[in-house]
Amino acid sequence: MFPELTAHIRKFTSLPEGAEAILADYLEVRTCRKKDFLLKAGQVCNGNYFIIKGCCRSFMITEKDTELINHFAIEYWWITDYFSLESQRPSEYSIQAIEDTECVVLYRNCQDALFEKLPELERYFRIISQKALAAALQRVTYIFMHSGEERYEHFRQSFPEFVQRVPQYMLASYLGFTPEFLSKIRAKRNG
Amino acid sequence: MFPELTAHIRKFTSLPEGAEAILADYLEVRTCRKKDFLLKAGQVCNGNYFIIKGCCRSFMITEKDTELINHFAIEYWWITDYFSLESQRPSEYSIQAIEDTECVVLYRNCQDALFEKLPELERYFRIISQKALAAALQRVTYIFMHSGEERYEHFRQSFPEFVQRVPQYMLASYLGFTPEFLSKIRAKRNG
DNA sequence: ATGATTTCTTGAACTAGTTCAAGAAAAGTA
DNA sequence: TACTTTTCTTGAACTAGTTCAAGAAATCAT
């Protein structure tokens, strides 16, 4: 049974009696240690991961051989590569635990059957995808409207606990500048 | 009846007999002239717009009082602000026709009733939202990995007809740099 | 056609952020 | 405790892209 997940679903849509049992039939728990991969670039993404405890990142390797972080996921967020998941083609992204992590997995090869048994999930995933889409579009706008320093300050104030949780160089990557630059921003603030 | 839209839906999910008639009950056609607004910043967004013919942009006004384009939509794309649409709070974005445009509107106050009659639409919107989400996340990665000049070249090669269709300064805004800089890129290319 | 508006161009001075390289600090492991 | 790995800092030289200002070219409306 997955109380965190069912609670999350019920925030967005209703579920029939017995939904928990159906979910339990189709979902799995997966635990992984810090640095383990849920997906490696080049593989086909075969699951959608709902984090119960821990933190993961999705990233890509650039031409210059540096990591570029696309997305973080913490408790009660889903993480996957929807391109690869739906097209079943190799992913350009890797998904890696950056803390010891426990998550619920919806594997792609169970998804259609589960959605048939529990059609409310179409609605749930529609709504959370639309929210995530609006957020991703807003992120682009935000990036273009603000300097790196402003983006860092905003992120720090919005997610203070999270800033403590991840290495600074990952934050820099997610915010779209170099770790050196982030270090200089911090020096300026504290100095 | 909305042949373009039903064809689009059927690319992603099946529809029952009679779906066209139900859609016709719940959807409206709206035409607007170049420069008309489908949504003005400050208003609550009350519809989701599927473009049949024409082109719209969604944009925001920055602190410096310049426009920042978030999104374009051409034939067979949906455009809306999902944040405002779902929360029914005022939008920060404006949506404006940049050509004379004809679109199918799903108004927010019809949406739930329509989805109840035609639950396949939950699936349709789930799938297209997930695709759009993956694209938006990839866009951020792309922005961080490439220079303005590279982004312009890539866009030009990916959507050559579209580059002809919109003013250069809107393209510059969408790609995240100034119109002057775009002009300089073009000068360099041509000669 | 003509004037008004919208869009595009060019140059010079400037700034936010990068790159490279080296070392310091912190955290993990034995 | 000490050793290794990971993460963070600092400075100097550099570059991609901005800003401002002015004018040129297109396009639109009458």
Side-chain angles (χ1 to χ4, degrees):
Chain A
M1 297 285 167
F2 311 107
E4 299 87 353
L5 177 56
T6 49
H8 193 254
I9 296 171
R10 287 207 163 92
K11 276 202 212 165
F12 299 100
T13 189
S14 59
L15 282 178
E17 286 302 311
E20 280 84 352
I22 298 173
L23 287 169
D25 278 350
Y26 286 90
L27 301 174
E28 287 183 20
V29 168
R30 177 151 161 191
T31 57
C32 47
R33 312 283 316 269
K34 186 170 173 171
K35 294 193 183 174
D36 286 353
F37 285 86
L38 291 170
L39 169 67
K40 282 188 182 172
Q43 296 176 339
V44 172
C45 181
N46 58 9
N48 197 351
Y49 303 92
F50 178 80
I51 314 269
I52 294 174
K53 183 85 197 85
C55 182
C56 294
R57 61 175 182 150
S58 140
F59 68 97
M60 203 182 238
I61 303 295
T62 70
E63 285 112 43
K64 284 170 193 155
D65 230 53
T66 59
E67 297 171 349
L68 206 162
I69 295 177
N70 196 31
H71 205 67
F72 290 112
I74 57 171
E75 287 78 15
Y76 315 148
W77 290 65
W78 289 89
I79 189 165
T80 189
D81 172 4
Y82 281 116
F83 268 148
S84 174
L85 190 74
E86 293 298 325
S87 67
Q88 290 292 292
R89 290 168 47 189
S91 180
E92 303 187 62
Y93 297 97
S94 298
I95 300 178
Q96 185 188 32
I98 56 183
E99 299 174 356
D100 293 352
T101 294
E102 192 183 343
C103 53
V104 178
V105 190
L106 170 51
Y107 286 107
R108 184 64 189 81
N109 59 16
C110 301
Q111 181 181 296
D112 297 346
L114 173 59
F115 283 8
E116 209 160 307
K117 292 235 175 182
L118 220 48
E120 290 80 1
L121 292 183
E122 296 276 8
R123 181 175 169 80
Y124 167 67
F125 280 104
R126 171 181 69 79
I127 294 172
I128 65 169
S129 299
Q130 285 175 347
K131 282 176 91 82
L133 171 58
L137 293 173
Q138 196 167 55
R139 186 168 165 224
V140 175
T141 311
Y142 198 83
I143 288 164
F144 287 155
M145 281 177 62
H146 299 279
S147 68
E149 182 164 3
E150 288 167 333
R151 266 139 51 203
Y152 172 68
E153 280 307 325
H154 181 255
F155 193 89
R156 236 176 49 80
Q157 284 171 28
S158 305
F159 310 102
E161 33 15 269
F162 187 74
V163 171
Q164 303 304 105
R165 247 170 109 169
V166 301
Q168 302 290 325
Y169 75 89
M170 288 193 190
L171 221 55
S173 171
Y174 177 76
L175 292 172
F177 45 72
T178 59
E180 292 92 334
F181 184 60
L182 178 45
S183 191
K184 281 161 198 171
I185 293 172
R186 284 154 53 84
K188 202 160 89 179
R189 286 191 85 248
N190 303 329
Chain B
M1 298 286 168
F2 312 107
E4 300 86 353
L5 176 56
T6 49
H8 193 253
I9 296 172
R10 288 208 162 91
K11 276 202 211 168
F12 298 101
T13 190
S14 59
L15 281 177
E17 283 304 310
E20 280 84 353
I22 298 173
L23 287 168
D25 278 352
Y26 285 90
L27 301 174
E28 285 183 23
V29 167
R30 177 151 161 192
T31 56
C32 47
R33 312 283 316 266
K34 186 171 175 172
K35 293 192 185 174
D36 285 354
F37 286 85
L38 292 170
L39 169 68
K40 281 187 182 171
Q43 296 177 338
V44 172
C45 181
N46 58 9
N48 196 352
Y49 304 91
F50 178 81
I51 314 268
I52 294 173
K53 182 87 197 83
C55 182
C56 294
R57 62 176 182 148
S58 142
F59 69 98
M60 202 182 239
I61 304 295
T62 71
E63 284 112 45
K64 285 171 194 155
D65 231 51
T66 59
E67 298 171 347
L68 206 161
I69 295 178
N70 196 31
H71 207 66
F72 290 111
I74 57 171
E75 287 78 13
Y76 314 149
W77 289 65
W78 289 90
I79 189 165
T80 189
D81 172 6
Y82 281 116
F83 268 147
S84 174
L85 190 74
E86 292 298 325
S87 68
Q88 289 294 292
R89 290 166 49 190
S91 179
E92 303 186 63
Y93 298 96
S94 297
I95 299 178
Q96 186 187 31
I98 56 183
E99 298 174 357
D100 292 353
T101 295
E102 191 183 344
C103 52
V104 178
V105 190
L106 170 51
Y107 285 108
R108 185 64 189 81
N109 59 15
C110 301
Q111 183 181 296
D112 297 346
L114 174 58
F115 283 8
E116 210 161 308
K117 293 236 177 184
L118 221 45
E120 291 81 2
L121 292 183
E122 296 275 8
R123 180 176 169 80
Y124 167 67
F125 280 104
R126 172 181 67 78
I127 294 171
I128 65 170
S129 299
Q130 286 175 348
K131 280 175 92 85
L133 171 58
L137 292 174
Q138 197 169 54
R139 185 168 164 223
V140 175
T141 311
Y142 198 84
I143 288 164
F144 286 155
M145 280 177 62
H146 298 278
S147 68
E149 182 165 0
E150 289 167 333
R151 264 139 54 204
Y152 171 69
E153 280 306 325
H154 181 255
F155 193 89
R156 235 177 47 81
Q157 284 170 28
S158 306
F159 309 103
E161 39 4 280
F162 187 73
V163 171
Q164 304 304 106
R165 245 169 111 169
V166 301
Q168 302 290 323
Y169 74 90
M170 288 195 190
L171 221 54
S173 171
Y174 177 76
L175 292 172
F177 45 73
T178 60
E180 291 92 335
F181 184 61
L182 178 47
S183 193
K184 282 162 196 169
I185 293 172
R186 283 155 52 86
K188 203 160 87 180
R189 284 192 84 247
N190 302 330

